[in-house]
mmCIF file of all heavy atoms in Angstrom:
data_model
loop_
_atom_site.group_PDB
_atom_site.id
_atom_site.type_symbol
_atom_site.label_atom_id
_atom_site.label_comp_id
_atom_site.label_asym_id
_atom_site.label_seq_id
_atom_site.Cartn_x
_atom_site.Cartn_y
_atom_site.Cartn_z
ATOM 1 N N THR C 1 5.025 9.035 18.168
ATOM 2 C CA THR C 1 4.347 8.029 18.840
ATOM 3 C C THR C 1 3.689 6.963 18.002
ATOM 4 O O THR C 1 3.090 6.014 18.389
ATOM 5 C CB THR C 1 3.326 8.601 19.829
ATOM 6 O OG1 THR C 1 2.320 9.380 18.975
ATOM 7 C CG2 THR C 1 3.919 9.723 20.808
ATOM 8 N N TRP C 2 3.816 7.183 16.698
ATOM 9 C CA TRP C 2 3.002 6.470 15.683
ATOM 10 C C TRP C 2 3.298 4.965 15.576
ATOM 11 O O TRP C 2 2.478 4.123 15.285
ATOM 12 C CB TRP C 2 3.180 7.006 14.298
ATOM 13 C CG TRP C 2 4.355 6.570 13.554
ATOM 14 C CD1 TRP C 2 5.726 6.892 13.850
ATOM 15 C CD2 TRP C 2 4.371 5.628 12.432
ATOM 16 N NE1 TRP C 2 6.564 6.180 12.983
ATOM 17 C CE2 TRP C 2 5.729 5.469 12.117
ATOM 18 C CE3 TRP C 2 3.317 5.099 11.684
ATOM 19 C CZ2 TRP C 2 6.086 4.653 11.007
ATOM 20 C CZ3 TRP C 2 3.713 4.205 10.596
ATOM 21 C CH2 TRP C 2 5.102 4.050 10.293
ATOM 22 N N ASP C 3 4.554 4.539 15.942
ATOM 23 C CA ASP C 3 4.880 3.185 15.794
ATOM 24 C C ASP C 3 5.159 2.365 17.112
ATOM 25 O O ASP C 3 5.364 1.140 17.072
ATOM 26 C CB ASP C 3 6.108 3.017 14.829
ATOM 27 C CG ASP C 3 7.316 3.648 15.406
ATOM 28 O OD1 ASP C 3 7.292 4.450 16.373
ATOM 29 O OD2 ASP C 3 8.493 3.333 14.847
ATOM 30 N N ALA C 4 5.140 3.056 18.239
ATOM 31 C CA ALA C 4 5.465 2.379 19.496
ATOM 32 C C ALA C 4 4.289 1.397 19.891
ATOM 33 O O ALA C 4 3.090 1.705 19.927
ATOM 34 C CB ALA C 4 5.647 3.422 20.579
ATOM 35 N N GLY C 5 4.739 0.105 19.995
ATOM 36 C CA GLY C 5 3.707 -0.912 20.368
ATOM 37 C C GLY C 5 2.827 -1.333 19.340
ATOM 38 O O GLY C 5 1.776 -1.948 19.596
ATOM 39 N N ILE C 6 3.153 -1.083 18.047
ATOM 40 C CA ILE C 6 2.191 -1.417 16.888
ATOM 41 C C ILE C 6 2.654 -2.808 16.451
ATOM 42 O O ILE C 6 3.746 -3.007 16.084
ATOM 43 C CB ILE C 6 2.252 -0.416 15.792
ATOM 44 C CG1 ILE C 6 1.589 0.875 16.247
ATOM 45 C CG2 ILE C 6 1.450 -0.909 14.532
ATOM 46 C CD1 ILE C 6 0.209 0.812 16.563
ATOM 47 N N GLY C 7 1.665 -3.758 16.246
ATOM 48 C CA GLY C 7 1.991 -5.056 15.716
ATOM 49 C C GLY C 7 1.458 -5.417 14.451
ATOM 50 O O GLY C 7 1.837 -6.407 13.743
ATOM 51 N N ALA C 8 0.493 -4.527 13.815
ATOM 52 C CA ALA C 8 -0.139 -4.756 12.603
ATOM 53 C C ALA C 8 -0.819 -3.474 12.086
ATOM 54 O O ALA C 8 -1.150 -2.539 12.992
ATOM 55 C CB ALA C 8 -1.124 -5.908 12.569
ATOM 56 N N GLU C 9 -0.985 -3.216 10.843
ATOM 57 C CA GLU C 9 -1.685 -2.052 10.375
ATOM 58 C C GLU C 9 -2.880 -2.624 9.477
ATOM 59 O O GLU C 9 -2.720 -3.568 8.716
ATOM 60 C CB GLU C 9 -0.774 -1.173 9.573
ATOM 61 C CG GLU C 9 -1.494 -0.068 8.800
ATOM 62 C CD GLU C 9 -0.724 1.217 8.594
ATOM 63 O OE1 GLU C 9 0.255 1.525 9.339
ATOM 64 O OE2 GLU C 9 -1.047 1.924 7.653
ATOM 65 N N ILE C 10 -3.892 -1.754 9.406
ATOM 66 C CA ILE C 10 -4.978 -1.954 8.439
ATOM 67 C C ILE C 10 -5.010 -0.614 7.550
ATOM 68 O O ILE C 10 -5.086 0.496 8.112
ATOM 69 C CB ILE C 10 -6.302 -2.201 9.091
ATOM 70 C CG1 ILE C 10 -6.270 -3.411 9.903
ATOM 71 C CG2 ILE C 10 -7.372 -2.209 8.077
ATOM 72 C CD1 ILE C 10 -7.517 -3.623 10.829
ATOM 73 N N MET C 11 -5.110 -0.753 6.272
ATOM 74 C CA MET C 11 -5.239 0.417 5.469
ATOM 75 C C MET C 11 -6.216 0.120 4.281
ATOM 76 O O MET C 11 -6.486 -0.999 3.959
ATOM 77 C CB MET C 11 -3.893 0.844 4.781
ATOM 78 C CG MET C 11 -3.282 -0.151 3.836
ATOM 79 S SD MET C 11 -1.827 0.431 2.892
ATOM 80 C CE MET C 11 -0.699 0.637 4.290
ATOM 81 N N GLY C 12 -6.819 1.129 3.748
ATOM 82 C CA GLY C 12 -7.608 1.051 2.589
ATOM 83 C C GLY C 12 -6.835 0.832 1.292
ATOM 84 O O GLY C 12 -5.572 1.190 1.219
ATOM 85 N N ARG C 13 -7.421 0.364 0.294
ATOM 86 C CA ARG C 13 -6.780 0.155 -1.012
ATOM 87 C C ARG C 13 -6.205 1.414 -1.503
ATOM 88 O O ARG C 13 -5.075 1.459 -2.095
ATOM 89 C CB ARG C 13 -7.646 -0.559 -1.993
ATOM 90 C CG ARG C 13 -6.994 -0.767 -3.363
ATOM 91 C CD ARG C 13 -7.868 -1.543 -4.291
ATOM 92 N NE ARG C 13 -7.224 -1.636 -5.584
ATOM 93 C CZ ARG C 13 -7.729 -2.324 -6.615
ATOM 94 N NH1 ARG C 13 -8.829 -3.047 -6.447
ATOM 95 N NH2 ARG C 13 -7.148 -2.288 -7.750
ATOM 96 N N ASN C 14 -6.869 2.537 -1.449
ATOM 97 C CA ASN C 14 -6.453 3.814 -2.017
ATOM 98 C C ASN C 14 -5.188 4.300 -1.283
ATOM 99 O O ASN C 14 -4.439 5.188 -1.889
ATOM 100 C CB ASN C 14 -7.539 4.882 -1.966
ATOM 101 C CG ASN C 14 -8.689 4.514 -2.876
ATOM 102 O OD1 ASN C 14 -8.625 3.538 -3.619
ATOM 103 N ND2 ASN C 14 -9.697 5.252 -2.823
ATOM 104 N N LYS C 15 -4.918 3.983 -0.135
ATOM 105 C CA LYS C 15 -3.601 4.264 0.495
ATOM 106 C C LYS C 15 -2.484 3.495 -0.099
ATOM 107 O O LYS C 15 -1.369 3.950 -0.264
ATOM 108 C CB LYS C 15 -3.679 4.058 2.129
ATOM 109 C CG LYS C 15 -2.277 4.413 2.695
ATOM 110 C CD LYS C 15 -2.286 4.388 4.223
ATOM 111 C CE LYS C 15 -0.868 4.694 4.749
ATOM 112 N NZ LYS C 15 -0.862 4.543 6.237
ATOM 113 N N PHE C 16 -2.751 2.196 -0.401
ATOM 114 C CA PHE C 16 -1.765 1.375 -1.051
ATOM 115 C C PHE C 16 -1.363 1.760 -2.431
ATOM 116 O O PHE C 16 -0.206 1.687 -2.817
ATOM 117 C CB PHE C 16 -2.237 -0.130 -1.017
ATOM 118 C CG PHE C 16 -1.271 -1.117 -1.611
ATOM 119 C CD1 PHE C 16 -0.150 -1.476 -0.945
ATOM 120 C CD2 PHE C 16 -1.412 -1.511 -2.944
ATOM 121 C CE1 PHE C 16 0.830 -2.319 -1.527
ATOM 122 C CE2 PHE C 16 -0.455 -2.359 -3.575
ATOM 123 C CZ PHE C 16 0.603 -2.770 -2.828
ATOM 124 N N GLY C 17 -2.402 2.234 -3.223
ATOM 125 C CA GLY C 17 -2.013 2.582 -4.516
ATOM 126 C C GLY C 17 -3.316 3.199 -5.251
ATOM 127 O O GLY C 17 -4.383 3.251 -4.719
ATOM 128 N N PRO C 18 -3.068 3.800 -6.438
ATOM 129 C CA PRO C 18 -4.147 4.521 -7.185
ATOM 130 C C PRO C 18 -4.958 3.612 -8.023
ATOM 131 O O PRO C 18 -5.911 4.080 -8.760
ATOM 132 C CB PRO C 18 -3.326 5.454 -8.017
ATOM 133 C CG PRO C 18 -2.021 4.681 -8.383
ATOM 134 C CD PRO C 18 -1.743 3.919 -7.209
ATOM 135 N N GLN C 19 -4.713 2.331 -8.077
ATOM 136 C CA GLN C 19 -5.487 1.465 -8.880
ATOM 137 C C GLN C 19 -6.870 1.283 -8.492
ATOM 138 O O GLN C 19 -7.210 1.300 -7.337
ATOM 139 C CB GLN C 19 -4.867 0.027 -9.119
ATOM 140 C CG GLN C 19 -3.353 0.120 -9.524
ATOM 141 C CD GLN C 19 -2.408 0.085 -8.352
ATOM 142 O OE1 GLN C 19 -2.801 0.536 -7.176
ATOM 143 N NE2 GLN C 19 -1.230 -0.317 -8.536
ATOM 144 N N ARG C 20 -7.788 1.078 -9.383
ATOM 145 C CA ARG C 20 -9.257 0.840 -9.078
ATOM 146 C C ARG C 20 -9.638 -0.480 -9.842
ATOM 147 O O ARG C 20 -9.100 -0.842 -10.874
ATOM 148 C CB ARG C 20 -10.106 2.014 -9.605
ATOM 149 C CG ARG C 20 -9.767 3.259 -8.968
ATOM 150 C CD ARG C 20 -9.925 3.325 -7.443
ATOM 151 N NE ARG C 20 -9.736 4.700 -7.017
ATOM 152 C CZ ARG C 20 -8.575 5.190 -6.404
ATOM 153 N NH1 ARG C 20 -7.507 4.381 -6.459
ATOM 154 N NH2 ARG C 20 -8.498 6.422 -6.042
ATOM 155 N N GLY C 21 -10.570 -1.247 -9.306
ATOM 156 C CA GLY C 21 -11.110 -2.444 -9.913
ATOM 157 C C GLY C 21 -10.187 -3.514 -9.767
ATOM 158 O O GLY C 21 -9.251 -3.599 -8.966
ATOM 159 N N PRO C 22 -10.360 -4.548 -10.694
ATOM 160 C CA PRO C 22 -9.406 -5.702 -10.633
ATOM 161 C C PRO C 22 -7.984 -5.301 -10.813
ATOM 162 O O PRO C 22 -7.673 -4.288 -11.554
ATOM 163 C CB PRO C 22 -9.939 -6.546 -11.819
ATOM 164 C CG PRO C 22 -11.314 -6.215 -12.014
ATOM 165 C CD PRO C 22 -11.394 -4.725 -11.718
ATOM 166 N N TRP C 23 -7.095 -5.999 -10.163
ATOM 167 C CA TRP C 23 -5.675 -5.633 -10.261
ATOM 168 C C TRP C 23 -5.151 -5.971 -11.653
ATOM 169 O O TRP C 23 -5.280 -7.019 -12.081
ATOM 170 C CB TRP C 23 -4.842 -6.420 -9.218
ATOM 171 C CG TRP C 23 -5.195 -6.168 -7.793
ATOM 172 C CD1 TRP C 23 -6.088 -6.846 -7.110
ATOM 173 C CD2 TRP C 23 -4.746 -5.123 -6.995
ATOM 174 N NE1 TRP C 23 -6.178 -6.282 -5.795
ATOM 175 C CE2 TRP C 23 -5.345 -5.237 -5.693
ATOM 176 C CE3 TRP C 23 -3.823 -4.116 -7.230
ATOM 177 C CZ2 TRP C 23 -5.175 -4.320 -4.681
ATOM 178 C CZ3 TRP C 23 -3.550 -3.229 -6.125
ATOM 179 C CH2 TRP C 23 -4.237 -3.329 -4.968
ATOM 180 N N GLU C 24 -4.496 -4.954 -12.238
ATOM 181 C CA GLU C 24 -3.987 -5.173 -13.611
ATOM 182 C C GLU C 24 -2.517 -5.119 -13.656
ATOM 183 O O GLU C 24 -1.837 -5.465 -14.546
ATOM 184 C CB GLU C 24 -4.499 -4.043 -14.570
ATOM 185 C CG GLU C 24 -6.080 -4.161 -14.749
ATOM 186 C CD GLU C 24 -6.543 -3.035 -15.590
ATOM 187 O OE1 GLU C 24 -5.727 -2.167 -16.046
ATOM 188 O OE2 GLU C 24 -7.860 -2.995 -15.933
ATOM 189 N N ASP C 25 -1.909 -4.710 -12.469
ATOM 190 C CA ASP C 25 -0.429 -4.434 -12.367
ATOM 191 C C ASP C 25 0.046 -5.106 -11.123
ATOM 192 O O ASP C 25 0.078 -4.474 -10.089
ATOM 193 C CB ASP C 25 -0.042 -3.014 -12.546
ATOM 194 C CG ASP C 25 1.487 -2.909 -12.462
ATOM 195 O OD1 ASP C 25 2.200 -3.954 -12.500
ATOM 196 O OD2 ASP C 25 1.948 -1.717 -12.431
ATOM 197 N N ASP C 26 0.406 -6.357 -11.088
ATOM 198 C CA ASP C 26 0.901 -7.074 -9.897
ATOM 199 C C ASP C 26 2.300 -6.568 -9.494
ATOM 200 O O ASP C 26 2.761 -6.883 -8.409
ATOM 201 C CB ASP C 26 0.854 -8.536 -10.071
ATOM 202 C CG ASP C 26 -0.506 -9.171 -10.036
ATOM 203 O OD1 ASP C 26 -1.470 -8.424 -9.596
ATOM 204 O OD2 ASP C 26 -0.725 -10.271 -10.383
ATOM 205 N N GLU C 27 2.894 -5.811 -10.351
ATOM 206 C CA GLU C 27 4.244 -5.394 -10.070
ATOM 207 C C GLU C 27 4.213 -4.136 -9.108
ATOM 208 O O GLU C 27 5.263 -3.750 -8.394
ATOM 209 C CB GLU C 27 4.949 -4.881 -11.279
ATOM 210 C CG GLU C 27 5.271 -6.101 -12.267
ATOM 211 C CD GLU C 27 6.030 -7.214 -11.560
ATOM 212 O OE1 GLU C 27 7.097 -6.912 -10.955
ATOM 213 O OE2 GLU C 27 5.638 -8.417 -11.747
ATOM 214 N N TRP C 28 3.046 -3.463 -8.963
ATOM 215 C CA TRP C 28 2.998 -2.329 -8.070
ATOM 216 C C TRP C 28 3.037 -2.767 -6.617
ATOM 217 O O TRP C 28 2.284 -3.589 -6.159
ATOM 218 C CB TRP C 28 1.611 -1.583 -8.301
ATOM 219 C CG TRP C 28 1.335 -0.480 -7.321
ATOM 220 C CD1 TRP C 28 0.611 -0.467 -6.256
ATOM 221 C CD2 TRP C 28 1.944 0.848 -7.304
ATOM 222 N NE1 TRP C 28 0.556 0.632 -5.547
ATOM 223 C CE2 TRP C 28 1.419 1.492 -6.218
ATOM 224 C CE3 TRP C 28 2.892 1.468 -8.141
ATOM 225 C CZ2 TRP C 28 1.900 2.857 -5.926
ATOM 226 C CZ3 TRP C 28 3.265 2.816 -7.846
ATOM 227 C CH2 TRP C 28 2.721 3.419 -6.785
ATOM 228 N N LYS C 29 4.003 -2.172 -5.819
ATOM 229 C CA LYS C 29 4.217 -2.552 -4.546
ATOM 230 C C LYS C 29 4.072 -1.450 -3.509
ATOM 231 O O LYS C 29 4.643 -1.458 -2.403
ATOM 232 C CB LYS C 29 5.705 -3.115 -4.410
ATOM 233 C CG LYS C 29 5.807 -4.448 -5.268
ATOM 234 C CD LYS C 29 7.219 -5.029 -5.086
ATOM 235 C CE LYS C 29 7.526 -6.197 -5.894
ATOM 236 N NZ LYS C 29 6.372 -6.861 -6.555
ATOM 237 N N GLY C 30 3.348 -0.394 -3.925
ATOM 238 C CA GLY C 30 3.013 0.750 -2.998
ATOM 239 C C GLY C 30 4.063 1.928 -3.247
ATOM 240 O O GLY C 30 5.000 1.779 -4.087
ATOM 241 N N TRP C 31 3.720 2.949 -2.548
ATOM 242 C CA TRP C 31 4.556 4.204 -2.747
ATOM 243 C C TRP C 31 5.776 4.264 -2.025
ATOM 244 O O TRP C 31 6.544 5.230 -2.005
ATOM 245 C CB TRP C 31 3.632 5.384 -2.407
ATOM 246 C CG TRP C 31 2.749 5.913 -3.499
ATOM 247 C CD1 TRP C 31 3.146 6.510 -4.694
ATOM 248 C CD2 TRP C 31 1.382 5.864 -3.584
ATOM 249 N NE1 TRP C 31 2.028 6.753 -5.447
ATOM 250 C CE2 TRP C 31 0.926 6.430 -4.842
ATOM 251 C CE3 TRP C 31 0.322 5.460 -2.598
ATOM 252 C CZ2 TRP C 31 -0.379 6.570 -5.172
ATOM 253 C CZ3 TRP C 31 -0.936 5.563 -3.074
ATOM 254 C CH2 TRP C 31 -1.330 6.160 -4.260
ATOM 255 N N TRP C 32 6.100 3.293 -1.211
ATOM 256 C CA TRP C 32 7.264 3.275 -0.180
ATOM 257 C C TRP C 32 8.469 2.613 -0.614
ATOM 258 O O TRP C 32 9.376 2.582 0.267
ATOM 259 C CB TRP C 32 6.653 2.733 1.156
ATOM 260 C CG TRP C 32 5.361 3.290 1.503
ATOM 261 C CD1 TRP C 32 5.133 4.496 2.166
ATOM 262 C CD2 TRP C 32 4.031 2.758 1.343
ATOM 263 N NE1 TRP C 32 3.834 4.783 2.347
ATOM 264 C CE2 TRP C 32 3.130 3.660 1.815
ATOM 265 C CE3 TRP C 32 3.528 1.545 0.711
ATOM 266 C CZ2 TRP C 32 1.743 3.481 1.831
ATOM 267 C CZ3 TRP C 32 2.184 1.426 0.646
ATOM 268 C CH2 TRP C 32 1.302 2.383 1.174
ATOM 269 N N GLY C 33 8.580 2.050 -1.756
ATOM 270 C CA GLY C 33 9.827 1.397 -2.105
ATOM 271 C C GLY C 33 9.854 -0.057 -1.554
ATOM 272 O O GLY C 33 8.956 -0.620 -1.068
ATOM 273 N N ALA C 34 11.050 -0.662 -1.641
ATOM 274 C CA ALA C 34 11.299 -1.999 -1.331
ATOM 275 C C ALA C 34 11.165 -2.299 0.160
ATOM 276 O O ALA C 34 10.906 -3.380 0.567
ATOM 277 C CB ALA C 34 12.638 -2.489 -1.900
ATOM 278 N N ASN C 35 11.400 -1.237 0.989
ATOM 279 C CA ASN C 35 11.404 -1.415 2.422
ATOM 280 C C ASN C 35 10.413 -0.440 3.070
ATOM 281 O O ASN C 35 10.783 0.668 3.503
ATOM 282 C CB ASN C 35 12.798 -1.196 3.052
ATOM 283 C CG ASN C 35 12.925 -1.482 4.456
ATOM 284 O OD1 ASN C 35 11.953 -1.872 5.106
ATOM 285 N ND2 ASN C 35 14.108 -1.358 5.043
ATOM 286 N N PRO C 36 9.141 -0.697 2.997
ATOM 287 C CA PRO C 36 8.140 0.211 3.506
ATOM 288 C C PRO C 36 8.271 0.488 5.068
ATOM 289 O O PRO C 36 9.015 -0.381 5.756
ATOM 290 C CB PRO C 36 6.777 -0.512 3.279
ATOM 291 C CG PRO C 36 7.093 -1.523 2.255
ATOM 292 C CD PRO C 36 8.550 -1.939 2.456
#
């Protein structure tokens, strides 16, 4: 049931990646690959 009727998601930064503070690696695109 997780995706039925969903139009947007909100997540915290720590779900997106392990970085802290100012972004030092703009190449990081999350743990999910090219097609999240």
Side-chain angles (χ1 to χ4, degrees):
T1 65
W2 84 291
D3 63 344
I6 294 294
E9 170 154 335
I10 299 170
M11 68 171 63
R13 178 173 174 175
N14 292 357
K15 179 176 177 179
F16 178 78
Q19 302 93 339
R20 303 294 187 269
W23 298 94
E24 297 179 356
D25 181 9
D26 287 345
E27 296 303 313
W28 173 258
K29 298 184 181 346
W31 275 292
W32 306 279
N35 187 0

